[in-house]
Amino acid sequence: MSASQLESLSKREPLLWANSNYAPLAAVDAQRLDPARALARFKRHAATLRRVFAELEASAGQVSSALEPANALAAVLGDVPAGALGQCSAQPSPHEAVRGNWWIKRDDALPVAGSVKARGGFHEVLSVAEDLLARRGVECELDAPEASRIFGQYTISVGSTGNLGLSIGLIAARLGFRAVVHMSSDAKAWKKQRLRSHGIQVVEHEGDYAAAVAAGREQSEADPFSHFVDDEHSVQLFLGYSAAAEELAVQLNTHGVVVDEAHPLFVYIPCGVGGAPGGIAYGLKQRYGRAVHCFFAEPVASPCMLLQLASAPGQSVSVYDIGLDNRTEADGLAVPSASPLVAPLMRKMLSGVFTVDDETLFLDTYLLHQSMGLQVEPSAAASFRGPLWLRLSAEGKLYQKQSGLEHLMDQANHVIWSTGGSLVPEAEHSKFQDKGRGLSAAHPRA
Ligand SMILES: *Cc1c(COP(=O)(O)O)cnc(C)c1O
């Protein structure tokens, strides 16, 4: 990273960082981490999931979300005048037309957990449950009375700012485990309340997300009848997320979208600790190789993956090291240090990272509602300006040029990953919309 980029990063100026270690042909190590294993596990338990969760009846037990056209969002974002908010140089001038096709991946509406965390969280709990039965030599479905009796002796715990807790807590409790969620002090009150209303124990910790994870890990290690879902190191979470790639590929195919070197696919995903976007990117790279370009989105206060990938490998860095405070309304993304499991996997695979300020999150949450009638949580809106960064910023244009993409942009497809929102109470949505509306009114369109 250049000195001026580092300065912008520490001053919380939104930017696009293109990964200088990006290797378009970086290979996926499917010996070690195979997305097909997660897909098979989800399939194996679809019938159980359907019985256990009424919400999964319609999808026959599949944990999946829709892919929808999003050119209406592209149009309203293309309308935002240059320099209206912050220093986002990616904001187009009104005459620059938005080209290519935009899609939105609706993980905000994933059943039961209402966020991308359903993918990783469900997968890990299913895998823990399978292992427990296998160790006891019991062969039965995961919702059989015999299984519930065994699970009732175990605790599954997790450290979370909220959404991972909802995902793990809800499925663990439903299968009969005791569920404990360790939360940071910045976790939203409604998330704690929702967990408790499902019989899930919530332990609150002073300090940030990393502190909650550390406390949870420590408590769990002392108990042989406890499994800790470790968001900073978990392979099973990562694999659960990676299964989304196959789902997306089927959907793109159904929509008649071609993905190859002449028709590049760009995917933009909000990033917290890195497990969800990392798993998805990993799966997509395995599926599409150099035809797919993955970018992560992080809050200006918490660009932990950007910082980690821009630093020398092997040493862990934190956003506090460069004077940032990790304070953001994007609670799903408020993480100071990237996953030591995921960051090395992304070092060559990831095309880049862009950052977004909180005002833009609220504005874009509002603009999504205005243009498409969808309500998401602010974390989910982090990805929305990805295509603009790529097309209009100097760094984005350089990436296009270096990757030989300039003449292909009209044939490109852009998938914006919307990562959470459907469990957010209506009163919270109203607050997000009010903030966004206020910002929109303060910066009227040209
Ligand atoms: C957790 C989360 C993310 C990011 O996932 P990580 O695995 O933490 O990188 C993105 N959006 C939402 C809404 C989330 O809850």
Side-chain angles (χ1 to χ4, degrees):
M1 188 167 34
S2 70
S4 76
Q5 275 182 317
L6 182 59
E7 193 185 332
S8 291
L9 200 63
S10 58
K11 282 183 169 158
R12 308 169 60 112
E13 289 168 3
L15 56 83
L16 167 66
W17 171 78
N19 180 7
S20 52
N21 294 309
Y22 178 56
L25 290 174
V28 162
D29 180 4
Q31 291 288 354
R32 187 162 85 88
L33 295 167
D34 187 0
R37 274 179 31 217
L39 272 175
R41 182 169 279 121
F42 276 125
K43 281 219 177 88
R44 204 154 56 235
H45 298 295
T48 302
L49 289 173
R50 179 186 191 163
R51 283 192 301 273
V52 173
F53 292 108
E55 300 95 315
L56 292 175
E57 176 71 38
S59 66
Q62 265 191 76
V63 182
S64 62
S65 76
L67 177 72
E68 295 174 10
N71 282 345
L73 174 65
V76 297
L77 288 180
D79 266 349
V80 176
L85 279 172
Q87 281 79 43
C88 179
S89 55
Q91 278 156 359
S93 57
H95 60 272
E96 274 182 286
V98 173
R99 298 169 299 166
N101 275 313
W102 286 36
W103 303 88
I104 185 165
K105 182 65 176 148
R106 297 288 315 282
D107 277 8
D108 57 280
L110 271 177
V112 184
S115 80
V116 66
K117 300 296 195 308
R119 299 184 183 278
F122 280 31
H123 181 258
E124 173 141 358
V125 173
L126 290 175
S127 133
V128 170
E130 272 184 353
D131 286 352
L132 281 176
L133 295 187
R135 260 196 272 155
R136 304 256 183 137
V138 175
E139 273 181 46
C140 65
E141 297 292 326
L142 301 185
D143 59 337
E146 207 179 344
S148 314
R149 258 198 311 279
I150 293 171
F151 300 156
Q153 301 162 13
Y154 286 86
T155 300
I156 292 189
S157 69
V158 63
S160 168
T161 57
N163 285 342
L164 186 62
L166 282 170
S167 167
I168 298 285
L170 291 174
I171 184 170
R174 207 70 72 89
L175 291 179
F177 290 99
R178 221 182 117 233
V180 180
V181 179
H182 297 269
M183 296 184 104
S184 49
S185 50
D186 57 356
K188 302 278 180 248
W190 72 264
K191 289 186 180 171
K192 296 177 199 165
Q193 207 175 339
R194 165 93 47 141
L195 286 165
R196 290 188 171 119
S197 75
H198 282 88
I200 296 154
Q201 190 188 338
V202 175
V203 185
E204 295 181 55
H205 297 273
E206 288 303 318
D208 65 7
Y209 154 89
V213 170
R217 188 187 291 128
E218 194 177 322
Q219 280 193 19
S220 185
E221 272 168 4
D223 178 359
F225 286 87
S226 178
H227 173 86
F228 182 66
V229 177
D230 196 327
D231 203 12
E232 290 174 333
H233 301 96
S234 168
V235 166
Q236 298 305 345
L237 285 178
F238 183 83
L239 286 178
Y241 295 123
S242 75
E246 184 58 28
E247 180 183 312
L248 179 68
V250 170
Q251 289 171 325
L252 287 170
N253 203 32
T254 306
H255 282 287
V257 173
V258 176
V259 180
D260 57 26
E261 285 192 40
H263 302 83
L265 176 69
F266 296 89
V267 181
Y268 310 91
I269 321 168
C271 178
V273 74
I280 294 167
Y282 185 88
L284 288 171
K285 274 289 171 190
Q286 186 195 37
R287 187 76 178 62
Y288 292 121
R290 63 188 303 164
V292 68
H293 304 262
C294 302
F295 291 86
F296 291 175
E298 298 191 299
V300 291
S302 314
C304 63
M305 186 61 77
L306 194 171
L307 193 61
Q308 187 65 49
L309 295 182
S311 304
Q315 79 195 67
S316 169
V317 291
S318 125
V319 301
Y320 303 126
D321 298 343
I322 60 165
L324 293 171
D325 62 6
N326 190 34
R327 283 183 184 278
T328 167
E329 293 287 338
D331 55 334
L333 314 180
V335 176
S337 297
S339 159
L341 169 76
V342 178
L345 292 169
M346 291 299 109
R347 189 160 278 274
K348 289 186 178 163
M349 222 172 260
L350 193 65
S351 294
V353 182
F354 58 96
T355 59
V356 50
D357 59 37
D358 281 10
E359 285 199 342
T360 304
L361 293 178
F362 286 114
L363 180 64
D364 289 358
T365 302
Y366 170 73
L367 292 176
L368 178 70
H369 189 226
Q370 289 294 302
S371 58
M372 296 186 60
L374 307 176
Q375 300 204 97
V376 298
E377 58 186 276
S379 297
S383 56
F384 294 179
R385 284 176 198 244
L388 305 186
W389 277 111
L390 184 72
R391 257 201 293 257
L392 306 171
S393 69
E395 186 87 354
K397 286 177 180 165
L398 188 62
Y399 179 86
Q400 286 182 40
K401 192 167 170 205
Q402 288 174 343
S403 306
L405 296 167
E406 284 161 307
H407 63 294
L408 301 175
M409 294 308 282
D410 284 341
Q411 289 138 240
N413 282 278
H414 303 270
V415 174
I416 286 158
W417 219 280
S418 171
T419 45
S422 63
L423 288 194
V424 174
E426 199 46 49
E428 296 289 320
H429 276 309
S430 300
K431 284 189 226 162
F432 302 155
Q433 292 297 319
D434 288 349
K435 278 197 197 175
R437 190 178 304 108
L439 287 161
S440 167
H443 303 284
R445 310 257 169 92

